[in-house]
Amino acid sequence: MEVDILGKTPPEVLADIGGDYALTEAQITRFRRQGYLKLKNVLSAPTLAWYGAEITAQVLRLNQQHKPLSQRNTYEKAFLQVMNLWTKSDRVKEFSFGRKLAKLAADLMGVRGVRMYHDQALYKEPGGGITPWHADQYYWPLSNANTCTVWVPLQATPLELGPLAFSATSHQFDLGRDLEISDESESQINAQLTAKGLPVDEGPFDLGEISYHYGWTFHRAAANVSDRPRNVMTVIYMEDGIRLAKPRNKNQQSDWDIWMPDAKIGEPVATILNPVLYHY
Ligand SMILES: O=C(O)CCC(=O)C(=O)O
């Protein structure tokens, strides 16, 4: 763990990240029906600035992607991806363990508790490419579908920066679930979603607006055609009690090795890297 020499978190920021967001029954129903939910005014501008500065510093320090955009493949062009920042910085840990975001995850999924799968920063550079259509749970060897990601833009995210877009109700259909993020997932999943006529929600995000999506909800993002970076932090939650499933592909094997070391197939995932983040 790095020593945090950046000072103490202001009380109003702590109160925000540790606070409560009053969800309505209609929002919970909508999340479960459409597979994602966008929520406005969840985190304040000072909160996003406080944690955002540290997340950006850690992304710049830990980023391993140094090829120019023109020499990268589609996945590599989509974003700089730096994972499990909570293990590197106390300040990021405060963000990723934030009670407000974790309780929202538990309440939206309707589970008694949630654990950390991993966190990750996803920084789409100016000129960065599309994030192809995909469903995250293709990568996760987990026993049920009670998994979700909170996507937190660290600035207002108009269309030209490449906000996250969702295929509404797509978590209910078993299509394209065996495709990793690639040109192939973009074209094949797009064709299947279009054939089914599922609506795509590709609106901008205001400052303080965030989204949650299930592990099986198909989503993508447009290219960043602006001259500014699109800085985003995410936390992936899984139901407390979810079990390790036998890996179905090499990516799931690799996730087991990296994010759930020592977990055993068929047993609840509860390793040192998967702490409980909220529990009733
Ligand atoms: O930020 C992006 O462009 C993609 C995000 C994503 O796929 C996710 O958070 O599951």
Side-chain angles (χ1 to χ4, degrees):
M1 183 74 64
E2 296 286 300
V3 177
D4 191 347
I5 54 166
L6 299 166
K8 280 203 184 331
T9 303
E12 62 275 19
V13 170
L14 276 180
D16 189 24
I17 199 77
D20 239 322
Y21 183 94
L23 270 179
T24 64
E25 279 305 317
Q27 287 171 320
I28 294 174
T29 303
R30 195 159 3 117
F31 173 75
R32 295 183 194 167
R33 192 183 63 237
Q34 66 184 17
Y36 73 94
L37 187 70
K38 291 172 76 166
L39 293 170
K40 287 188 192 286
N41 298 316
V42 179
L43 295 174
S44 72
T47 300
L48 293 166
W50 177 258
Y51 294 112
E54 172 67 354
I55 293 163
T56 298
Q58 293 296 337
V59 167
L60 295 176
R61 188 173 76 83
L62 297 165
N63 169 48
Q64 301 285 324
Q65 177 57 264
H66 300 296
K67 282 192 278 185
L69 277 163
S70 60
Q71 288 172 26
R72 300 188 208 161
N73 65 27
T74 300
Y75 190 132
E76 294 168 335
K77 279 183 187 147
F79 35 63
L80 303 179
Q81 181 175 26
V82 184
M83 298 154 111
N84 259 8
L85 289 175
W86 71 270
T87 63
K88 314 284 191 211
S89 154
D90 282 338
R91 198 192 285 188
V92 182
K93 182 174 176 183
E94 209 169 80
F95 176 91
S96 295
F97 280 43
R99 176 184 180 279
K100 184 188 279 182
L101 300 182
K103 180 173 187 295
L104 276 168
D107 289 346
L108 287 171
M109 293 194 291
V111 299
R112 292 189 50 74
V114 290
R115 286 180 181 268
M116 167 73 75
Y117 187 69
H118 64 71
D119 68 16
Q120 59 181 344
L122 297 170
Y123 278 36
K124 202 181 273 295
E125 301 145 278
I130 63 158
T131 307
W133 280 114
H134 68 281
D136 304 325
Q137 203 148 339
Y138 158 83
Y139 290 90
W140 304 339
L142 298 173
S143 63
N144 73 41
N146 280 329
T147 61
C148 70
T149 299
V150 65
W151 195 83
V152 183
L154 300 169
Q155 68 292 303
T157 307
L159 293 182
E160 63 266 25
L161 264 67
L164 199 58
F166 308 91
S167 171
T169 72
S170 58
H171 63 307
Q172 300 177 24
F173 300 102
D174 186 356
L175 50 88
R177 289 188 171 188
D178 53 352
L179 292 171
E180 61 183 16
I181 299 176
S182 59
D183 292 327
E184 197 191 2
S185 75
E186 172 69 6
S187 62
Q188 288 195 20
I189 294 169
N190 185 44
Q192 295 190 53
L193 297 173
T194 306
K196 273 209 169 296
L198 302 186
V200 177
D201 182 345
E202 45 191 348
F205 283 65
D206 294 339
L207 188 67
E209 184 171 8
I210 67 173
S211 64
Y212 285 81
H213 62 271
Y214 274 121
W216 282 122
T217 302
F218 288 97
H219 53 284
R220 79 185 291 277
N224 181 355
V225 295
S226 81
D227 55 5
R228 292 169 289 140
R230 188 218 65 179
N231 299 344
V232 168
M233 184 61 180
T234 68
V235 182
I236 301 164
Y237 304 95
M238 56 188 169
E239 175 181 14
D240 181 32
I242 205 166
R243 292 167 192 275
L244 180 71
K246 188 161 177 282
R248 294 157 60 95
N249 56 51
K250 64 176 187 337
N251 292 309
Q252 291 195 359
Q253 179 64 54
S254 148
D255 264 37
W256 176 10
D257 297 341
I258 300 171
W259 310 124
M260 301 170 286
D262 309 327
K264 303 223 168 10
I265 290 174
E267 293 185 11
V269 178
T271 83
I272 194 164
L273 287 183
N274 314 113
V276 172
L277 299 183
Y278 185 80
H279 216 290
Y280 278 96

